[in-house]
Amino acid sequence: MRKHAGHTTLKDVAEAAGVSISTVSRAFSNPERLSPATVQHVKEVAARLRFSVNPVAKALITGTSSNIGLVVPDISNPYMSTLLKAAQAHSRGRGIGVFAADTDENASTEREVCDQLAKQTRGLVLCSSRMSVTHIRELAELIPLVLVNRVVKGVPSLYSDSTAALYELVDELVDLGHRHLAYMPGPVQSWTNKQRSRAISKRVAARGAELVTLASTSPSYAGGRAAAPQVLESGATAVMAFDDVLASGLVEGLRRLDCSVPRDISVTGHDDVLAELVYPGITTVTGQSVRIGRLAVDWLLEDPIGDDSESALTRVVEGRVIRRGSVAAPPSPVSSPP
Amino acid sequence: MRKHAGHTTLKDVAEAAGVSISTVSRAFSNPERLSPATVQHVKEVAARLRFSVNPVAKALITGTSSNIGLVVPDISNPYMSTLLKAAQAHSRGRGIGVFAADTDENASTEREVCDQLAKQTRGLVLCSSRMSVTHIRELAELIPLVLVNRVVKGVPSLYSDSTAALYELVDELVDLGHRHLAYMPGPVQSWTNKQRSRAISKRVAARGAELVTLASTSPSYAGGRAAAPQVLESGATAVMAFDDVLASGLVEGLRRLDCSVPRDISVTGHDDVLAELVYPGITTVTGQSVRIGRLAVDWLLEDPIGDDSESALTRVVEGRVIRRGSVAAPPSPVSSPP
DNA sequence: GAATGTAGTGCAAACGTTTGATACTGTCCA
DNA sequence: TGGACAGTATCAAACGTTTGCACTACATTC
């Protein structure tokens, strides 16, 4: 900050321009209350002195800052980095800075980070928060909040609903002849994981097929890869993974076991990130990261004049299926010799 | 921030504890100047009132904040997200928050972002900065800076030097029999790109082989994939890519052209991120993202008592080769029928 | 020609801290 | 008994803004 070099302040500009501090301040924040001539003069002097207002002093006096915080469990997940990039670009367009923080999937780290952020930002976007409902509510008392991909009653919540898309996917798999499906779960604390799991098991049951939920692993590529033996053991002919990261890890793990996707096993992912990077491309559901990133920022910055009814506190974008090459009919059963 | 709820202040605590504001302040910032009894009493009251100091007021008065900024050209590049995570975790351990910003590979966005950040942070880590030397120097006057993977005279610069590792890689390729190598470049403004390009062409020339530098593409997976036809056309039997992202894109692009890695063409990457995710695993050079992230933070936070000699302004970590499955001997030339 | 209105500008308080200077209270020693 | 000296605690100024209020000067109205 300063100390390093004497930043120019309102006072410097005021002296140089021969006006009062308030006048300089108003030249920037409230120019219509000044004569056009004064405004122009002040702005010229300010530009010459390379003045720009000190955001921390401004934040202190106005009680609000031009920064928002964005908290994510894991920024190396491409879904999150895409969302962050979108949110950031969008905010910049509105003169708002984004304070991004990674919590390493850890609820208590998340809490610390949020407390820290709450006092320096105008609001927080919490992505896939791992905190307890209680803590989230508590935080919401302190600072405006938008929850992404999680719903907590009474707190603005924005998520991508992929129920319909997952139904569609299950239907396609069953229609292709799959009778034994598996679900590869994401982080246990994840709200989204519960949603996806529920949607899938509901539809699989409705279609009279069988679903086994695999043991939960690290929500990473390595985690997905490591789960491959477990998948084979389960006897499933199609695996629906929590997200693309797990799905692509699984595909690689299966390959190492000489099991080919989609010939031997079908695999689906979620979020449509990374899914086109691997071979074969993975059939997935869009996660709408870009759109959600922008919407979250907009909502957070919205004037809270809107009604507070429960329905107004939930916003949804719909996911849809993206078909790539990781799904096929199950291998025809080869009767093993008795 | 506040306005939403009445944050408790020093004043509130002071009243509740029956002491002066300064005493409360010192209970936190300078407890040895108070009697132990007072300190304990104040801290109890403060805890009961859930008080914690307002960082913006503190920043204003002390002229320094407990936040640092970290600026990256593209956070979705796994090298950068790994570095960010490391820097952030490390900073948190030291009570420092990290303000992360993505510049979309754009020098002018970067400049804006830095100016904005400069006034609210105690220092900036600029990763693979795309700004001009002039702008960087200008910024360094304003605020403590650490440059990562770029060297500018007079400004603290930290980078991973992979010259030796690249020499080693070139040697291995040539020793395997490759005579026609290609370099797939990264972003043109990238300092690292120049370094890698120079090291490779120097060594290839020294070994009497031929090197063609491909046209530069978007530094993304899609960019690498799209360059595959150009690679085939070049006649090279081994391609050294700027980084793993490009390398893995290229492998996929080649596969789509029915060209197998490493049977038909050898490919190497750089940074050791993503390189194990794809098939085949890509032979690469470590980028030391985690170590660099931590070192950068440490350096930025160091008391600047050290000498300012030129040598003290450069810190280096060495890259080393990681061998995976993407390198082999060139295919034996099949004489086409006349 | 006095009263009123209005546009432009300045004064000073406030935001929540930190911190050097200062005041208070004992204790100890001469 | 008085003075010196710690050890504690308070006072008040400062950081760089914003903003309600007051003030000036001039134009307009009666």
Side-chain angles (χ1 to χ4, degrees):
Chain A
M1 307 182 59
R2 88 187 151 70
K3 224 124 216 185
H4 202 244
H7 273 228
T8 60
T9 72
L10 278 186
K11 198 174 156 200
D12 302 327
V13 180
E15 280 167 7
V19 295
S20 75
I21 292 183
S22 347
T23 300
V24 182
S25 172
R26 278 195 261 264
F28 291 96
S29 56
N30 222 348
E32 62 276 15
R33 287 194 46 185
L34 260 37
S35 78
T38 314
V39 172
Q40 203 199 339
H41 175 222
V42 168
K43 286 203 162 173
E44 275 169 19
V45 174
R48 182 154 49 77
L49 265 47
R50 294 172 177 254
F51 167 82
S52 66
V53 324
N54 179 330
V56 356
K58 180 167 182 167
L60 180 59
I61 190 73
T62 60
T64 182
S65 106
S66 62
N67 295 135
I68 62 174
L70 192 144
V71 181
V72 301
D74 180 12
I75 190 61
S76 71
N77 184 312
Y79 180 78
M80 290 305 170
S81 58
T82 312
L83 194 152
L84 167 61
K85 279 175 84 85
Q88 197 151 313
H90 195 61
S91 302
R92 185 157 38 245
R94 309 186 47 167
I96 296 283
V98 174
F99 210 138
D102 182 300
T103 64
D104 267 322
E105 301 273 358
N106 183 317
S108 73
T109 304
E110 184 178 355
R111 213 183 155 198
E112 268 178 53
V113 163
C114 287
D115 282 343
Q116 184 67 18
L117 248 35
K119 280 188 252 74
Q120 345 189 24
T121 55
R122 135 206 300 252
L124 256 39
V125 175
L126 261 49
C127 299
S128 305
S129 172
R130 308 301 192 220
M131 285 194 294
S132 71
V133 173
T134 320
H135 284 153
I136 291 182
R137 292 233 174 84
E138 234 172 79
L139 192 62
E141 302 282 302
L142 239 56
I143 183 172
L145 233 55
V146 168
L147 259 36
V148 164
N149 287 340
R150 170 151 182 189
V151 173
V152 169
K153 265 198 159 181
V155 182
S157 306
L158 166 64
Y159 67 103
S160 126
D161 182 7
S162 46
T163 312
L166 287 173
Y167 284 1
E168 208 178 317
L169 261 182
V170 169
D171 284 349
E172 286 185 28
L173 288 169
V174 173
D175 289 345
L176 279 168
H178 293 276
R179 314 305 303 167
H180 295 87
L181 312 195
Y183 176 62
M184 173 178 281
V188 276
Q189 325 95 302
S190 160
W191 181 86
T192 337
N193 180 50
K194 290 193 197 71
Q195 297 297 108
R196 295 180 190 170
S197 166
R198 189 168 311 162
I200 291 171
S201 58
K202 192 170 163 194
R203 192 60 160 203
V204 170
R207 294 295 310 263
E210 253 176 56
L211 180 75
V212 42
T213 296
L214 303 171
S216 128
T217 61
S218 145
S220 63
Y221 186 88
R225 197 170 52 197
Q230 199 201 339
V231 165
L232 287 189
E233 203 174 312
S234 78
T237 57
V239 182
M240 304 183 72
F242 168 70
D243 72 0
D244 289 346
V245 177
L246 282 170
S248 43
L250 173 62
V251 169
E252 171 64 10
L254 289 172
R255 165 166 30 226
R256 294 193 182 176
L257 298 173
D258 280 324
C259 175
S260 159
V261 173
R263 200 195 56 209
D264 304 320
I265 289 192
S266 291
V267 171
T268 72
H270 202 294
D271 292 352
D272 193 26
V273 289
L274 206 71
E276 57 163 357
L277 299 200
V278 292
Y279 182 81
I282 292 177
T283 292
T284 191
V285 176
T286 56
Q288 309 270 25
S289 49
V290 170
R291 208 159 140 221
I292 288 195
R294 293 196 192 127
L295 285 174
V297 170
D298 284 340
W299 197 358
L300 192 60
L301 264 31
E302 233 170 56
D303 287 328
I305 359 175
D307 61 332
D308 248 32
S309 66
E310 207 44 57
S311 69
L313 286 176
T314 304
R315 299 188 184 177
V316 183
V317 311
E318 296 284 333
R320 57 172 214 286
V321 177
I322 305 278
R323 291 169 187 81
R324 297 205 175 85
S326 65
V327 165
S332 43
V334 187
S335 48
S336 47
Chain B
M1 304 180 60
R2 88 186 150 69
K3 224 126 219 186
H4 202 244
H7 274 227
T8 60
T9 72
L10 279 186
K11 198 174 155 199
D12 302 326
V13 180
E15 279 167 8
V19 296
S20 76
I21 292 182
S22 347
T23 300
V24 181
S25 171
R26 276 195 255 267
F28 291 96
S29 55
N30 221 347
E32 62 276 15
R33 286 194 47 184
L34 260 39
S35 79
T38 313
V39 171
Q40 203 199 338
H41 175 221
V42 168
K43 286 203 163 175
E44 274 170 19
V45 174
R48 182 153 48 77
L49 265 48
R50 293 172 177 252
F51 168 82
S52 65
V53 325
N54 178 329
V56 356
K58 180 167 183 170
L60 181 58
I61 190 73
T62 61
T64 182
S65 106
S66 62
N67 294 135
I68 62 175
L70 193 143
V71 181
V72 301
D74 180 11
I75 190 63
S76 70
N77 183 311
Y79 180 77
M80 291 304 169
S81 57
T82 312
L83 195 152
L84 167 62
K85 280 175 83 86
Q88 197 151 313
H90 195 60
S91 302
R92 185 156 38 245
R94 309 186 47 168
I96 296 284
V98 174
F99 210 137
D102 181 300
T103 64
D104 267 321
E105 301 272 359
N106 183 319
S108 73
T109 304
E110 185 177 355
R111 216 186 152 195
E112 268 177 54
V113 163
C114 287
D115 283 343
Q116 184 67 17
L117 248 36
K119 280 188 252 76
Q120 344 189 26
T121 56
R122 136 207 299 254
L124 255 40
V125 175
L126 260 50
C127 298
S128 305
S129 173
R130 307 300 192 222
M131 285 194 294
S132 71
V133 173
T134 320
H135 284 152
I136 291 183
R137 291 234 173 83
E138 235 172 80
L139 192 62
E141 302 281 304
L142 239 57
I143 183 171
L145 232 55
V146 168
L147 258 36
V148 165
N149 287 340
R150 170 152 182 189
V151 174
V152 168
K153 265 198 158 182
V155 182
S157 305
L158 166 63
Y159 67 103
S160 125
D161 182 7
S162 46
T163 313
L166 288 173
Y167 284 2
E168 208 179 317
L169 261 183
V170 169
D171 284 349
E172 287 184 28
L173 289 169
V174 173
D175 290 345
L176 279 169
H178 292 277
R179 315 303 304 166
H180 295 87
L181 311 195
Y183 175 63
M184 174 178 280
V188 276
Q189 325 95 302
S190 159
W191 181 85
T192 338
N193 181 50
K194 290 192 196 71
Q195 297 298 108
R196 295 179 189 170
S197 166
R198 190 169 309 162
I200 291 171
S201 56
K202 193 170 163 193
R203 192 60 160 204
V204 170
R207 294 295 309 265
E210 252 177 57
L211 180 76
V212 43
T213 296
L214 302 171
S216 127
T217 61
S218 144
S220 63
Y221 186 88
R225 197 171 53 197
Q230 199 201 338
V231 166
L232 288 188
E233 203 174 310
S234 76
T237 56
V239 183
M240 304 183 71
F242 168 71
D243 72 0
D244 289 346
V245 177
L246 282 169
S248 43
L250 173 61
V251 169
E252 170 64 9
L254 290 172
R255 165 165 31 223
R256 295 193 180 176
L257 298 174
D258 279 325
C259 174
S260 158
V261 173
R263 199 194 57 207
D264 303 320
I265 289 192
S266 292
V267 171
T268 71
H270 202 295
D271 291 353
D272 193 25
V273 289
L274 206 70
E276 57 162 357
L277 300 199
V278 292
Y279 181 81
I282 292 177
T283 292
T284 191
V285 176
T286 55
Q288 309 270 25
S289 48
V290 170
R291 207 159 141 220
I292 288 194
R294 293 196 193 127
L295 285 174
V297 170
D298 285 339
W299 197 358
L300 193 60
L301 264 31
E302 234 170 54
D303 287 329
I305 359 173
D307 60 332
D308 248 32
S309 66
E310 206 43 58
S311 68
L313 285 177
T314 304
R315 298 187 184 177
V316 182
V317 310
E318 296 285 332
R320 56 173 214 285
V321 178
I322 304 277
R323 290 170 189 81
R324 296 205 175 86
S326 66
V327 165
S332 43
V334 186
S335 49
S336 47

